[in-house]
């Protein structure tokens, strides 16, 4: 700094000009005050709507909420006075690069695309997801592509929800997450063993490696699955010790654990091992759900994926992973039938679809059709989902101090659940990405 006095006059002018440009930039980037006039507010804290409120925003944060329509001096007004404003939705079970099963042959796609290809696909799907009103999401099974897309969104290079990502799901050889299953046994790829865990020691090492590679959360596969060749969704495939060590290691590193599980016994073992959420959980009994409730374990039911894959298996079985269409047809209608049991149990539920590409708002309608109230579906997709992420102090509610992540529907979604699929306004971190039903310039990058 002191060298400015010994700088030649020409350079000195340049330095002064640079300094004033920096000062101007600082002023511009200090952000502005915005006030949203909301016709009705569902704040993600309580189930009851509040009529006519003003939501004050400074930079990327909510600073206050007042009754009535007020306009602080100098604030830009966003008029949503005939709309219902809600916290941005949160999908706790996505695979950001996953294509809809009815669009492409799963095996061909898997073998002809690299992680780099998947990152570009994901950037398109994430832009669309933000437009649907999802301002946060948790990816539970990806790779280096998910880390790269999360980082690109965080640094403002592309638009999309805030992402919490796991890397490859951890599970045993020949389990739901083993990429070799169903392929010629001679085929291999350096990345295909990233999620393979066949001992407690391997579980400890893989969790630590995932942390090093950028994971926010750990996903494990205690039971078999449906959309994978050769494994059985009704069998527990990880040992109790493998689960326990994976959970202990993840928790010691500040990461939560999501567990893909179907059968009741395996769910109970995983809950005893300390997992934070049971994904799918479709064959849980009343006893299983009571244990989850007692332990505070979340259920992420993912009714959407069963709906989507049932239709694909019925209409386009040739596109699915080899041999899996019969498994889909035999199992995909059961989760909806079992969902009322979960509702009755009082277990904590968080919103999840298991989609990448596609309509992430479908889950609202499916949960409501299976017996959940529309008001509860809002809390499941906001407050509960934020709690499961461990981010309730930043997202999932419209309160002072939270990120200004908000959406609006033209009508009342509590009276007309189709409104969840007709989001007209999206703001993330104080930036508007959708207005009057159309993407804004911020959304286009
Ligand atoms: Zn999944």
């Amino acid at each position: 700094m002191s060298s400015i006095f010994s700088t030649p006059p020409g350079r000195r002018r340049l330095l002064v000009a640079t300094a004033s440009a920096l000062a101007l930039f600082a002023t511009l980037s200090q952000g502005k005050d915005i006030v949203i006039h909301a016709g009705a507010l569902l704040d993600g804290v309580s189930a009851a709507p509040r009529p006519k409120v003003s939501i004050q925003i400074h930079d990327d944060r909510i600073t206050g909420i007042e009754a009535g329509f007020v306009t602080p001096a100098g604030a830009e007004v966003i008029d949503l006075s005939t709309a219902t404003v809600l916290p941005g939705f949160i999908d706790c079970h996505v695979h950001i690069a996953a294509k809809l099963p009815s669009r492409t042959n799963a095996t061909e796609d898997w073998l002809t695309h690299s992680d780099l290809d998947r990152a570009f696909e994901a950037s398109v799907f994430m832009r669309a997801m933000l437009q649907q009103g999802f301002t946060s999401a948790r990816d539970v099974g990806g790779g280096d592509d998910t880390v790269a897309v999360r980082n690109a969104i965080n640094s403002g290079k592309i638009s999309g929800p805030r992402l919490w990502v796991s890397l490859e799901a951890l599970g045993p050889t020949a389990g739901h997450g083993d990429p070799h299953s169903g392929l010629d046994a001679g085929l291999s790829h350096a990345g295909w063993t990233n999620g393979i865990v066949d001992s407690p020691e391997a579980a400890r090492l893989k969790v630590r490696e995932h942390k090093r590679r950028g994971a926010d959360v750990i996903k494990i596969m205690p039971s078999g699955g449906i959309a994978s060749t050769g494994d059985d969704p009704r069998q527990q495939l990880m040992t109790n010790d493998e689960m326990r060590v994976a959970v202990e290691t993840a928790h010691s590193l500040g990461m939560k654990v999501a567990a893909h599980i179907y059968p009741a016994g395996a769910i109970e073992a995983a809950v005893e091992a300390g997992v934070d959420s049971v994904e799918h959980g479709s064959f849980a009994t009343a006893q299983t759900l009571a244990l989850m409730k007692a332990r505070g374990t979340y259920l992420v039911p993912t009714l959407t994926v069963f709906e989507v894959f049932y239709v694909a298996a019925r209409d386009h079985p040739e596109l699915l992973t080899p041999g899996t269409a019969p498994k889909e047809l035999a199992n995909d209608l059961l989760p909806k039938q079992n969902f009322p049991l979960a509702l009755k149990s009082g277990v904590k539920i968080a919103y999840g679809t298991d989609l990448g590409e596609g309509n992430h708002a479908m889950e609202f309608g499916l949960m409501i059709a299976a017996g959940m109230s529309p008001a509860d579906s809002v809390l499941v997709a906001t407050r509960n989902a934020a709690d499961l992420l461990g981010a309730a102090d930043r997202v999932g509610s419209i309160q002072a101090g939270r990120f200004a992540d908000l959406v609006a529907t033209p009508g009342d979604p509590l009276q007309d659940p189709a409104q969840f699929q007709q989001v007209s306004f999206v703001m993330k971190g104080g930036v508007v990405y959708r207005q009057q039903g159309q993407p804004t310039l911020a959304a286009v990058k």
Side-chain angles (χ1 to χ4, degrees):
M1 296 296 278
S2 60
S3 67
I4 193 164
F5 298 108
S6 56
T7 311
R11 285 240 6 239
R12 201 177 302 159
R13 267 200 305 278
L14 183 65
L15 282 173
V16 171
T18 307
S20 47
L22 281 173
L24 178 64
F25 178 74
T27 313
L28 288 174
S29 63
Q30 244 165 33
K32 51 187 177 179
D33 291 309
I34 295 174
V35 64
I36 293 178
H37 293 166
L41 172 67
L42 286 161
D43 62 8
V45 180
S46 74
R50 292 158 65 180
K52 288 188 182 147
V53 299
S54 298
I55 304 159
Q56 284 152 25
I57 293 158
H58 179 72
D59 286 343
D60 60 350
R61 301 275 176 164
I62 297 162
T63 53
I65 293 149
E66 271 188 79
F69 295 151
V70 295
T71 305
E76 176 196 333
V77 178
I78 295 179
D79 181 5
L80 297 172
S81 59
T82 60
T84 299
V85 174
L86 309 95
F89 305 141
I90 303 171
D91 189 337
C92 290
H93 192 129
V94 304
H95 300 279
I96 61 169
K99 293 174 188 163
L100 282 171
S102 53
R103 187 162 79 83
T104 182
N105 181 290
T107 306
E108 179 189 328
D109 189 72
W110 167 241
L111 291 174
T112 56
H113 289 72
S114 70
D115 266 7
L116 294 172
D117 296 321
R118 278 184 266 278
F120 281 100
E121 300 268 17
S123 71
V124 175
F125 301 158
M126 290 305 94
R127 188 195 310 158
M129 194 178 171
L130 182 61
Q131 288 295 309
Q132 294 167 8
F134 288 81
T135 51
S136 293
R138 185 180 67 156
D139 184 291
V140 283
D144 294 324
D145 52 327
T146 50
V147 171
V149 171
R150 176 199 64 195
N151 294 348
I153 291 171
N154 284 348
S155 61
K157 294 181 187 123
I158 57 176
S159 77
R162 305 176 194 283
L163 291 178
W164 281 254
V165 307
S166 83
L167 284 145
E168 299 82 4
L170 304 184
T173 296
H176 182 49
D178 185 348
H180 303 81
S181 294
L183 302 180
D184 177 336
L187 292 175
S188 65
H189 183 289
W192 289 359
T193 54
N194 281 345
I196 301 295
V197 154
D198 286 311
S199 69
E201 289 69 29
R204 183 182 293 115
L205 176 62
K206 291 291 182 191
V207 169
R208 288 174 175 165
E209 282 180 355
H210 280 32
K211 173 75 178 173
R212 183 177 65 194
R213 289 169 56 212
D216 303 298
V217 57
I218 293 295
K219 168 86 173 292
I220 61 173
M221 300 288 206
S223 85
I226 298 173
S228 46
T229 303
D231 56 322
D232 184 342
R234 292 174 191 276
Q235 287 174 346
Q236 177 175 334
L237 300 179
M238 286 180 87
T239 68
N240 293 357
D241 273 350
E242 288 164 357
M243 291 192 275
R244 181 180 52 76
V245 172
V247 170
E248 280 173 8
T249 312
H251 285 176
S252 74
L253 295 170
M255 296 186 290
K256 294 199 178 196
V257 178
H260 153 112
I261 332 173
Y262 289 99
I267 296 174
E268 289 165 24
V271 170
E272 298 284 7
V275 300
D276 299 281
S277 64
V278 170
E279 312 295 308
H280 320 305
S282 314
F283 308 142
T285 63
Q287 175 191 309
T288 319
L289 293 160
L291 177 68
M292 289 175 67
K293 188 181 178 206
R295 294 296 175 89
T297 316
Y298 269 98
L299 176 67
V300 183
T302 69
L303 301 181
T304 302
V305 74
F306 299 111
E307 202 75 7
V308 167
F309 271 79
Y310 183 81
V311 171
R314 188 191 61 198
D315 298 346
H316 288 288
E318 76 285 0
L319 295 181
L320 301 185
T321 310
T324 60
K327 272 208 281 186
E328 301 285 358
L329 295 173
N331 290 295
D332 286 353
L333 297 179
L334 300 175
K336 263 198 300 213
Q337 292 165 16
N338 290 349
F339 188 67
L341 193 63
L343 284 183
K344 202 170 136 209
S345 74
V347 69
K348 291 192 290 185
I349 296 177
Y351 192 101
T353 61
D354 212 347
L355 297 184
E357 180 183 27
N359 179 359
H360 290 261
M362 258 180 86
E363 190 80 7
F364 284 109
L366 291 167
M367 290 191 299
I368 292 165
M372 184 178 274
S373 73
D376 280 346
S377 77
V378 171
L379 295 176
V380 160
T382 57
R383 180 190 70 189
N384 289 11
D387 183 44
L388 176 55
L389 290 175
D393 58 338
R394 284 159 280 160
V395 298
S397 62
I398 298 180
Q399 299 186 77
R402 305 302 190 278
F403 281 122
D405 294 357
L406 319 128
V407 301
T409 55
D412 179 0
L414 302 187
Q415 300 302 323
D416 170 22
Q419 292 287 317
F420 290 118
Q421 315 218 17
Q422 292 160 23
V423 163
S424 55
F425 174 85
V426 178
M427 170 183 275
K428 187 190 122 194
V431 177
V432 178
Y433 288 88
R434 186 174 182 83
Q435 204 155 24
Q436 292 168 344
Q438 297 297 324
T440 63
L441 274 180
V444 175
K445 66 182 170 189

